Amino acid sequence: MLPPEPDLVRDLAEWLPRQRWFGGKDGPIDDLSIATATTLLPGDPGLHHLVLDVRQNRTTDHYQLLLGTRRDLPDRLRHVEIGGVRDTGLRLYDAAHDPDLTRVLLDALAGEASAGPLRFHHADGARIRTDLASLPITAEQSNTSLLFGDSYICKLFRRLSQGVNLDLEVNLALTRGGCTHVPAVLGWIELEPGHGAGDAGEPVTLGLLSDYLHTGADGWSLAIASVRDWYAHTLPPGDDEWAELDASAAGGDFAAEAERLGAATAEVHRALADAFGVTILPAGEVRAMAARMNAELTGTCRAVPGLAPHAKALTAAFLDLAAHASPLPVQRVHGDYHLGQVLRTESGWTLLDFEGEPARTQTERRALAHPLRDVAGMLRSFEYAARFLITKAGTVPTESGPRLETRAHAWAARNRAAFCRGYAAAGGPDPAAHSVLIRAFEFEKAVYEVRYEARNRPAWLPVPLKSLAHLTV
């Protein structure tokens, strides 16, 4: 049984802003209400599914919570306690961290159950085990992912968006099309229309169950290991020009993997085109896109003065795109492509998380784009990987200043070239043959990065700014 709503709302309003996945940390909660409350498991312990309407700055966001109730809360769950109910001794907590209760999700998915406005589905032919215990992935920030044994991963979308989530829509289409570079979708959870969460007349995606690639290593970790090895490599005296440095000299060269990743990216882009089709963006819309890029640059320069020295070169790239505008094929793409969104498994590279950039609106995330926009995102990620260790005190052994930046640029240049080579060889549009477009996309991504880092990770701001010093010459 749930506690009285006023008490529950009070506890949630105090607890919610402290959660990493809460998106409204920049201001107070003006109002919080419970849009839906569905009991999934009665008794003690009990499991209840809540959709919360949170109003801030005259807008309302919708959050999902698995609420657990116990009279005796084990020590292992104290860190996710939300509050208590006066006079009953009942304790409230975030049940996504309770393997005794999350198994209910597997049961419901396997049986395609319904509970109130919740609907559980499994993919055609999927056989879902129900005897697995869950473990939350602590590194997740905007969502919460649960590992069920070494078989499944269940992503629970904390901040809900209208309609079908892009991650489900895209991954399900690619799974049905036989694409081997994405984890197979096994099931999903949705809220039926007419029950809040920004109701747009279609179901709202709450969760996604996929194969767990337990042998995978994420691309970011592999790249950082390569960079660390490169920085530890002793250079001959006098090698001061970046063009003379050979980043392959270090033992942990990443270029071969970067080339294979480029090929996998082209194959996924081709699968996306097959699944969703390709349309043509008229030249006028391309010019409008270039104007939006420039407007975003202007706004970001006002907010982050450190970007201003690069504004002239960035604007020139956007104007160049407008001047050479011609009809452009556009399609579904990844939308937030970087080394943290890919896994290297025994069978090759796998792409994850097709939700789009977190700081973009839902409309912007769903917009079609030229596939080189994803390529530009990955090129920027190589710049990040090359400079990540520079931002962490004590991790770079000996060098500093311009010489260290020279090393960073050499590593990034080698792996950027390898990625583009693999992408073009596998049938993707050759970045070298679309230099105006890829440059504009890369600079657009850099402007986004500057704004994002200034707002969320100020210590990382030098990473995009320093890379621009090379790219805008």
Side-chain angles (χ1 to χ4, degrees), residues 150-416:
D150 61 357
S151 299
Y152 312 138
I153 183 166
C154 182
K155 180 191 286 189
L156 298 174
F157 300 105
R158 291 291 196 166
R159 188 178 184 178
L160 303 176
S161 56
Q162 291 187 356
V164 178
N165 188 280
L166 275 172
D167 209 18
L168 170 61
E169 182 180 6
V170 172
N171 273 299
L172 187 57
L174 292 178
T175 297
R176 288 171 172 168
C179 180
T180 60
H181 292 293
V182 295
V185 173
L186 302 173
W188 63 96
I189 310 167
E190 63 187 21
L191 181 73
E192 67 178 14
H195 290 273
D199 179 40
E202 58 180 327
V204 173
T205 307
L206 302 174
L208 171 62
L209 186 74
S210 305
D211 276 337
Y212 175 54
L213 306 174
H214 63 278
T215 63
D218 71 274
W220 176 259
S221 298
L222 294 173
I224 291 302
S226 172
V227 173
R228 183 178 289 110
D229 191 68
W230 168 231
Y231 285 152
H233 176 69
T234 302
L235 293 175
D239 274 348
D240 293 324
E241 294 297 325
W242 73 265
E244 298 177 2
L245 296 183
D246 182 5
S248 68
D253 186 25
F254 189 71
E257 287 298 341
E259 188 168 350
R260 283 189 280 267
L261 177 58
T265 305
E267 291 171 20
V268 171
H269 280 161
R270 189 162 53 250
L272 286 168
D274 291 342
F276 295 102
V278 177
T279 61
I280 301 298
L281 194 68
E285 288 298 317
V286 176
R287 286 190 287 271
M289 178 177 67
R292 288 193 296 272
M293 292 176 178
N294 205 43
E296 190 169 315
L297 168 63
T298 300
T300 304
C301 283
R302 285 196 296 263
V304 188
L307 182 60
H310 307 292
K312 183 177 179 180
L314 296 171
T315 297
F318 301 148
L319 292 176
D320 202 19
L321 175 62
H324 292 84
S326 60
L328 197 66
V330 292
Q331 61 170 79
R332 284 289 179 88
V333 296
H334 185 282
D336 186 27
Y337 200 42
H338 55 76
L339 287 163
Q341 305 281 44
V342 294
L343 288 178
R344 182 62 166 93
T345 70
E346 295 172 343
S347 60
W349 284 101
T350 298
L351 280 62
L352 310 172
D353 298 335
F354 287 79
E355 290 184 78
E357 292 171 329
R360 301 287 186 188
T361 67
Q362 185 70 6
T363 299
E364 289 172 324
R365 294 184 190 193
R366 300 190 75 87
L368 304 181
H370 192 279
L372 286 181
R373 188 170 185 270
D374 279 347
V375 172
M378 187 56 71
L379 296 183
R380 294 296 308 152
S381 193
F382 287 124
E383 299 287 345
Y384 260 64
R387 292 167 179 83
F388 172 72
L389 296 178
I390 300 175
T391 67
K392 295 174 68 65
T395 59
V396 179
T398 55
E399 297 173 317
S400 61
R403 189 170 172 86
L404 187 56
E405 174 60 24
T406 291
R407 281 211 187 206
H409 188 58
W411 186 94
R414 175 173 174 77
N415 288 284
R416 286 162 57 98

Side-chain angles (χ1 to χ4, degrees), residues 23-49:
K25 293 186 177 68
D26 58 345
I29 292 177
D30 300 320
D31 184 61
L32 187 151
S33 60
I34 299 173
T36 68
T38 305
T39 297
L40 297 176
L41 182 68
D44 185 8
L47 178 62
H48 310 271
H49 181 277

Side-chain angles (χ1 to χ4, degrees), residues 82-97:
I82 296 172
V85 182
R86 289 191 296 269
D87 303 326
T88 67
L90 195 66
R91 311 308 300 173
L92 311 176
Y93 63 99
D94 184 356
H97 297 258

